[in-house]
């Protein structure tokens, strides 16, 4: 600015800032941390034989926590890190050793079309190893870009409800096919400077989400939902299939298989199986039946009365224990405590069939002694 006009100095500073930003963004890794399914599990309560299987076979699921804005430079680094995480796995010489790769976008505010295309190429490459990529913790902007690039095809029902997708667009269902993961849409896309506008126009005119009832989801609201999805498929393959790859648990008792079938099919758990799961004497449920209020036909996400002090025996479906965001609480504190998705709720635990749940106060004495307690 001393040897030229102030405008030249401002322009030079602006160009230098842009170059510095691009250089720092490309140098920093888009992967903040990494874990696998043997160390990170969902918040679903599971019996000991399933936990044993996940401890031995859970490494077939890897979790990548992403960070920063994803554009051309960082997108290329992300694609390379994704391929290295799958192909560099300790047992990747075995085809399909890594079954699932979960990408968490909780710290990714945005992603551009070039980074999305590089991610799509990397997903196609690791799919040759039998690995499926699952997405979670996305904002609406990231979700729209991944959907417009035909990367996300079957979001979970809860994710659709959280992002309000069904009200924004009229979803078009399409049948799944073996080549559905990688086929391009009928609408041509111009790979030029107007790529972003073309992608946005494509998103608004031709959403291509599959029917969520098919059970082949690829995007979820939270990490625990994505982990629960991957765990169900691993348990079915390595724990419950007879004559399959169930090497983690050599022998399953009949009640264990009945429990697995009830969870997989959403059927009612037999009372004899419930008694064995909770180590109750045979006939206990029959003797308690006259004192129980049997509730059937509960709608999904129906809340139980918090003022009812009772012991709940879960025989079908599941019960989720959540913390609800209180009105008036600061957004920064809410974010720090982990309230995100699900209408600003935080999932503590998900109880499957065979669980016994109640309010904590039900298990504590009504009155506590005042004064020092005896030692």
């Amino acid at each position: 600015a001393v040897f030229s006009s102030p405008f030249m100095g401002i322009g030079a500073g602006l160009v230098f800032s842009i170059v510095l930003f691009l250089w720092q963004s490309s140098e920093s890794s888009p992967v903040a941390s990494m874990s696998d399914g043997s160390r990170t599990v969902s918040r679903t309560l599971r019996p000991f034989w399933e936990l044993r299987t996940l401890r031995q076979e859970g490494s077939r699921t890897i979790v990548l926590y992403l960070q920063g804005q994803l554009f051309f430079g960082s997108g290329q680094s992300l694609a390379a890190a994704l391929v290295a995480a799958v192909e560099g796995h300790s047992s990747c010489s075995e085809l399909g050793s890594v079954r699932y790769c979960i990408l968490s976008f909780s710290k990714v505010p945005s992603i551009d079309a070039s980074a999305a295309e590089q991610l799509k190429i990397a997903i196609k490459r690791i799919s040759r190893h039998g690995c499926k990529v699952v997405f979670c913790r996305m904002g609406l902007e990231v979700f729209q870009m991944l959907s417009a690039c035909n990367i996300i095809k079957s979001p979970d029902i809860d994710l659709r409800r959280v992002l309000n997708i069904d009200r924004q667009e009229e979803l078009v269902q399409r049948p799944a096919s073996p080549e559905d993961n990688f086929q391009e849409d009928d609408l041509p896309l111009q790979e030029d400077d107007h790529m972003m506008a073309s992608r946005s126009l494509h998103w608004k005119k031709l959403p291509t989400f599959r029917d969520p009832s098919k059970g082949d989801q690829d995007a979820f609201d939270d990490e625990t939902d994505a982990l629960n999805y991957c765990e169900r498929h691993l348990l079915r393959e390595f724990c419950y299939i007879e004559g399959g790859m169930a090497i983690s648990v050599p022998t399953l008792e009949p009640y264990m298989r009945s429990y697995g079938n009830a969870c997989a099919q959403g059927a009612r758990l037999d009372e004899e199986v419930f008694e064995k799961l909770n180590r109750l004497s045979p006939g206990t449920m029959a003797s308690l039946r006259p004192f129980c209020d049997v509730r059937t036909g509960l709608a999904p996400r129906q809340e139980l009365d918090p003022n009812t002090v009772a012991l709940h025996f879960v025989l079908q479906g599941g019960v989720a224990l959540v913390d609800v965001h209180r009105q008036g609480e600061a957004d920064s504190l809410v974010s720090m405590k982990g309230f995100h998705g699900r209408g600003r709720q935080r999932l503590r635990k998900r109880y499957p069939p065979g669980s016994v749940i109640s309010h904590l106060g039900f298990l504590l004495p009504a009155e506590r002694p005042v004064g020092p307690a005896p030692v």
Side-chain angles (χ1 to χ4, degrees):
V2 175
F3 302 99
S4 62
S5 66
F7 297 102
M8 291 291 294
I10 295 175
L14 182 59
V15 172
F16 178 75
S17 300
I18 294 175
V19 172
L20 183 62
F21 169 76
L22 294 176
W23 178 77
Q24 291 178 347
S25 300
S26 60
E27 288 295 322
S28 61
S29 174
V31 180
S33 61
M34 176 179 174
S35 182
D36 60 55
S38 62
R39 296 174 294 175
T40 304
V41 296
S42 67
R43 296 186 179 181
T44 300
L45 185 66
R46 299 192 181 277
F48 70 90
W49 65 88
E50 289 189 353
L51 293 176
R52 184 185 305 168
T53 303
L54 293 177
R55 185 169 62 249
Q56 297 184 12
E57 306 293 344
S59 58
R60 298 179 182 272
T61 299
I62 58 177
V63 186
L64 300 181
Y65 300 91
L66 309 182
Q67 64 179 356
Q69 296 186 4
L70 299 180
F71 54 97
F72 178 79
S74 57
Q76 187 175 8
S77 300
L78 172 60
L82 180 61
V83 173
V86 175
E87 295 184 349
H89 195 265
S90 58
S91 58
C92 196
S93 58
E94 176 190 354
L95 181 63
S97 59
V98 179
R99 294 288 199 274
Y100 301 97
C101 178
I102 300 176
L103 299 181
S104 175
F105 289 81
S106 60
K107 297 181 180 179
V108 177
S110 63
I111 178 174
D112 67 1
S114 60
E117 289 296 334
Q118 292 173 345
L119 178 60
K120 185 176 181 179
I121 296 174
I123 292 174
K124 183 177 181 179
R125 176 174 174 177
I126 65 176
S127 67
R128 300 169 185 169
H129 297 282
C131 178
K132 176 180 179 179
V133 177
V134 180
F135 305 87
C136 64
R137 292 288 297 277
M138 295 166 291
L140 183 59
E141 182 179 352
V142 175
F143 176 82
Q144 287 181 345
M145 178 56 65
L146 295 179
S147 301
C149 293
N150 202 25
I151 297 178
I152 294 179
K153 301 182 179 66
S154 181
D156 179 59
I157 295 179
D158 289 334
L159 178 61
R160 301 186 187 202
R161 178 176 55 87
V162 169
L163 297 181
N164 207 15
I165 298 172
D166 293 331
R167 295 183 180 179
Q168 294 179 7
E169 287 88 11
E170 181 180 359
L171 300 182
V172 178
Q173 299 179 1
R174 63 177 180 180
S177 63
E179 300 179 355
D180 189 48
N181 290 333
F182 310 116
Q183 67 181 9
E184 296 295 333
D185 298 324
D186 297 332
L187 181 63
L189 299 178
Q190 300 296 330
E191 303 295 338
D192 51 13
D193 295 339
H194 301 285
M195 179 186 296
M196 188 75 68
S198 176
R199 294 292 189 184
S200 300
L201 182 62
H202 175 228
W203 157 259
K204 294 179 181 179
K205 286 190 174 182
L206 189 61
T208 55
F209 297 140
R210 292 197 293 260
D211 186 358
S213 62
K214 302 298 182 180
D216 187 25
Q217 292 85 13
D218 56 5
F220 296 87
D221 176 37
D222 194 79
E223 289 95 347
T224 184
D225 299 326
L227 285 167
N228 187 53
Y229 169 83
C230 300
E231 290 170 359
R232 290 202 314 266
H233 287 75
L234 289 179
L235 290 172
R236 182 179 59 184
E237 180 179 359
F238 293 96
C239 185
Y240 290 112
I241 291 183
E242 296 185 6
M245 304 179 66
I247 59 176
S248 300
V249 183
T251 303
L252 289 180
E253 298 184 24
Y255 82 92
M256 298 179 181
R257 295 195 177 276
S258 299
Y259 169 83
N261 293 333
C263 293
Q265 302 173 6
R268 187 181 187 275
L269 194 67
D270 293 337
E271 294 182 359
E272 294 80 5
V273 177
F274 185 90
E275 292 170 350
K276 290 185 178 181
L277 283 172
N278 294 277
R279 299 182 179 180
L280 301 176
S281 302
T284 301
M285 297 300 295
S287 61
L288 292 177
R289 191 179 298 112
F291 307 98
C292 295
D293 179 18
V294 181
R295 304 186 63 182
T296 60
L298 296 178
R301 293 185 293 273
Q302 180 176 345
E303 296 184 7
L304 300 178
D305 187 3
N307 299 321
T308 301
V309 180
L311 196 64
H312 299 274
F313 299 143
V314 183
L315 295 177
Q316 187 175 7
V319 177
L321 177 62
V322 298
D323 291 334
V324 182
H325 163 49
R326 296 190 301 269
Q327 295 293 335
E329 195 169 8
D331 290 339
S332 59
L333 185 60
V334 169
S335 177
M336 181 179 62
K337 289 184 177 181
F339 290 90
H340 51 262
R342 296 187 178 87
R344 307 299 290 275
Q345 296 178 350
R346 178 177 59 184
L347 176 66
R348 282 186 174 268
K349 205 70 176 178
R350 184 183 289 112
Y351 296 92
S355 304
V356 180
I357 60 176
S358 177
H359 294 284
L360 181 61
F362 182 84
L363 305 176
L364 298 177
E367 297 181 0
R368 295 185 179 181
V370 180
V375 179

